[in-house]
Amino acid sequence: MVRRKLTALALLLGIAAGTAHAQPLPEEGADIHQGVASCATSVCHGKVSADPESNVWLNEYRVWLRQDYHSRAYRTLQTAQSQAIADKLGLPSAQGAKICLDCHADNVPADSRGRRFQISDGVGCEACHGGGGRWLESHAETTTSHADNIAQGMYPTEDPMARARLCLSCHLGTRDKFATHEIMGAGHPRLAFELETFTVNQPAHYEADADYRERKPYIASVNMWLAGLAVTGMHTLELLQEEWFTQPSLVPELSFFQCHACHHPMDDLRWSQEPDRLPPGTARLNDASLVLLLAVLETLSPGDVAGLRSDLNALHQASLQSRERVVSAARALHARLEPLVDQLSKGEYGPEQQRQLRRELLAQSAAERFRHFTAAEQAFLAVETLSLSLGDAERLKPRLDALYASVEDENRFVPQQFAVLARQLMGAL
Ligand code: HEC
Ligand code: HEC
Ligand code: HEC
Ligand code: HEC
């Protein structure tokens, strides 16, 4: 299970999100990556503490270096655990392997690396903010706007959809870098991601205060959560259409499936008939983000649910038939979701709607609709986000903690127990 949120997000305002989905990811752009050293001097982002005179903190480097897991991502490749993974995969070393560096560092090609670039910086500033080649000099001038920076290749991290794509490029993977079941089998942790929780859990090196909002939109936690869910669902369906999933081999790429469908003790019989009517003993595609999206749409856009549900069932049925059918079913569901996605992340959700969303998620949890661990995990994180946003997380703490305890250890997850605890939480609302 992923860590829970560390802090509560209190404010809930409307949003006006930008539109920059087509922006290439930092790793894809042609801009030179100048290296963390170019950002970290004491006149730039390397101050000891936040500068009250400046609109940005200017101690971002310190926060990143001392508190942010991204600054240790390269060092992680030098640990015994990483070496053991590399040994099992037949790689000479983890810190020398492209597949590991692609997610644990800013592994851009040699001709995109500036003079001060160091691979050992791990996931540095430009791995998220984009190569600084064209904006490093100009972005510090008072006359430069954020739009100017974006035009010069800065990545729009403030936009929820673009941010989701960025984080997921490493926290789920892309067609070019992916934590396959072979890598998992060698001992890599399962990748779990939820945009709002991970945004909060990444130690903040910025604050969405008044002057921030003059420059950038403020995104409410509910919108961040929905953007993440939508992009994860779409991205999963895109990955399912990739060539390496369709390659013929006796066993397909297993990391697309529910890990715990296979990885649980044999005397713990947990199969039961689900709406898609997959027979016992089927390896089930991991549809966590999609079933959560369906639950959300049940409240926000009920007219779309029947069609989506039937497309999702078709995807599961296709997984029993052939890879070609999986690809076309994934494409069909993707096409049906696409028009809804932007809308979801940009909507304004008042307290009443948030309560309805939470109630629906808990009702579906109680009805054992999230029987698979990855879905239950997402359902918990969603309920927590909504409770923090609604301001009653403190009052509900004992029940929220109990629900969390049931998903904390994926190896001890019992679907029926999760359902009972969800019902109890619903009773306490
Ligand atoms: C270039 C790849 C990459 C990108 C992009 C990326 N991450 Fe990460 N992230 C990692 C790696 C690798 C780790 C694990 C680092 C370690 O522990 O050594 C990590 C760890 C984390 C953690 C700590 C995980 C934990 O156990 O709690 C959080 C939180 C996180 N990332 C959030 C984000 C968010 C939010 C974004 C998008 C704004 C993002 N990441 C973008 C690669 C990336
Ligand atoms: C698709 C991106 C991706 C690839 C490829 C990848 N990793 Fe990771 N790795 C991550 C992310 C993201 C995390 C953090 C997961 C979390 O905490 O949510 C992580 C976590 C880890 C951890 C656990 C760190 C900790 O402190 O718990 C180790 C060890 C690790 N990776 C080693 C490797 C090695 C070795 C390779 C190459 C064989 C590799 N990784 C390839 C993305 C990736
Ligand atoms: C894992 C991704 C990630 C990494 C690594 C990262 N940032 Fe950020 N950064 C973000 C996100 C997300 C935001 C908030 C959204 C926004 O304002 O664009 C942000 C915001 C900022 C802001 C605030 C901008 C404002 O308008 O107030 C600055 C400045 C900044 N980052 C600098 C840095 C520096 C310097 C580093 C390296 C030491 C760094 N960032 C590393 C993701 C990252
Ligand atoms: C269709 C069944 C299936 C699915 C789905 C599946 N695995 Fe596996 N997994 C296996 C098999 C088979 C092995 C090999 C077991 C062995 O070598 O003893 C394995 C091995 C592993 C191992 C190494 C275990 C060991 O004892 O060395 C890990 C870790 C692992 N899988 C994680 C995952 C994760 C994470 C997922 C989901 C992203 C997943 N698996 C999905 C069948 C599956």
Side-chain angles (χ1 to χ4, degrees):
M1 173 65 188
V2 302
R3 286 188 297 138
R4 293 174 69 179
K5 283 191 189 183
L6 302 180
T7 52
L9 288 161
L11 282 174
L12 188 79
L13 295 177
I15 55 141
T19 47
H21 306 162
Q23 193 92 353
L25 289 167
E27 67 190 29
E28 296 166 344
D31 288 306
I32 302 291
H33 289 228
Q34 307 279 17
V36 172
S38 316
C39 320
T41 64
S42 60
V43 291
C44 301
H45 296 287
K47 293 206 186 323
V48 177
S49 51
D51 181 346
E53 300 297 310
S54 163
N55 57 8
V56 305
W57 289 4
L58 296 179
N59 67 339
E60 295 85 0
Y61 168 70
R62 301 275 170 152
V63 176
W64 171 83
L65 184 68
R66 300 220 171 129
Q67 300 169 33
D68 194 320
Y69 282 69
H70 295 110
S71 66
R72 67 166 208 198
Y74 177 86
R75 266 178 289 141
T76 291
L77 297 182
Q78 298 171 316
T79 61
Q81 186 188 1
S82 284
Q83 195 49 52
I85 295 173
D87 288 346
K88 288 182 188 161
L89 294 170
L91 299 167
S93 77
Q95 75 270 23
K98 176 171 164 26
I99 183 60
C100 309
L101 290 168
D102 280 350
C103 293
H104 284 259
D106 190 14
N107 196 24
V108 290
D111 58 1
S112 295
R113 298 179 182 189
R115 210 168 32 85
R116 307 176 82 176
F117 178 95
Q118 289 193 50
I119 192 75
S120 58
D121 285 336
V123 180
C125 318
E126 291 162 291
C128 289
H129 292 293
R134 284 179 293 148
W135 55 259
L136 185 66
E137 296 300 327
S138 59
H139 84 291
E141 289 160 16
T142 47
T143 48
T144 307
S145 71
H146 186 54
D148 297 335
N149 291 329
I150 303 266
Q152 297 299 316
M154 191 182 271
Y155 191 78
T157 38
E158 75 287 354
D159 175 73
M161 306 279 283
R163 187 187 303 182
R165 274 206 314 129
L166 167 70
C167 311
L168 284 166
S169 71
C170 296
H171 285 270
L172 175 59
T174 66
R175 59 181 295 170
D176 301 317
K177 53 177 191 189
F178 197 69
T180 56
H181 186 257
E182 190 177 346
I183 294 178
M184 305 280 174
H188 197 281
R190 179 179 66 89
L191 293 184
F193 186 75
E194 191 279 293
L195 181 61
E196 166 57 17
T197 304
F198 274 61
T199 290
V200 172
N201 278 353
Q202 183 189 2
H205 54 269
Y206 60 93
E207 190 187 356
D209 54 12
D211 81 65
Y212 178 99
R213 289 180 207 178
E214 279 169 23
R215 295 176 287 114
K216 294 174 175 179
Y218 173 74
I219 312 296
S221 61
V222 174
N223 294 79
M224 199 60 84
W225 159 59
L226 288 173
L229 205 54
V231 176
T232 309
M234 299 290 280
H235 193 65
T236 303
L237 293 169
E238 284 154 23
L239 288 174
L240 277 175
Q241 297 173 54
E242 287 297 342
E243 222 167 82
W244 41 257
F245 182 76
T246 57
Q247 281 166 25
S249 76
L250 187 56
V251 179
E253 174 47 57
L254 290 181
S255 54
F256 284 109
F257 293 83
Q258 292 285 4
C259 314
H260 312 90
C262 296
H263 292 287
H264 72 83
M266 267 193 266
D267 56 3
D268 163 24
L269 296 181
R270 48 169 76 168
W271 182 83
S272 70
Q273 191 80 71
E274 295 199 42
D276 44 53
R277 309 189 73 78
L278 291 188
T282 306
R284 170 182 291 271
L285 287 169
N286 183 356
D287 60 357
S289 51
L290 298 165
V291 293
L292 260 283
L293 270 178
L294 282 174
V296 162
L297 292 168
E298 201 78 70
T299 301
L300 300 182
S301 187
D304 289 305
V305 174
L308 286 163
R309 199 176 293 287
S310 118
D311 277 0
L312 179 58
N313 287 350
L315 176 65
H316 283 302
Q317 294 303 329
S319 75
L320 301 177
Q321 292 161 350
S322 74
R323 304 208 190 161
E324 289 70 34
R325 294 212 175 164
V326 169
V327 170
S328 58
R331 194 178 299 128
L333 180 50
H334 190 278
R336 205 193 279 271
L337 267 177
E338 198 150 33
L340 300 171
V341 161
D342 248 6
Q343 215 173 298
L344 265 185
S345 81
K346 289 182 184 158
E348 285 203 29
Y349 307 105
E352 196 38 51
Q353 214 156 26
Q354 294 183 36
R355 273 190 211 99
Q356 276 173 14
L357 279 167
R358 181 171 64 180
R359 193 167 283 282
E360 178 68 28
L361 286 168
L362 285 171
Q364 293 209 15
S365 302
E368 292 190 34
R369 295 300 287 271
F370 307 130
R371 294 184 57 261
H372 297 275
F373 175 76
T374 53
E377 177 180 56
Q378 290 292 327
F380 168 77
L381 294 171
V383 167
E384 183 181 57
T385 289
L386 288 162
S387 304
L388 287 168
S389 169
L390 282 161
D392 57 9
E394 201 50 47
R395 179 174 65 78
L396 298 170
K397 191 170 184 304
R399 298 285 182 210
L400 277 170
D401 286 352
L403 191 62
Y404 174 67
S406 75
V407 288
E408 190 173 10
D409 180 352
E410 59 198 274
N411 298 312
R412 290 176 207 280
F413 175 67
V414 182
Q416 293 81 359
Q417 190 189 25
F418 180 74
V420 169
L421 292 163
R423 191 168 308 121
Q424 288 175 357
L425 176 52
M426 201 157 59
L429 298 180

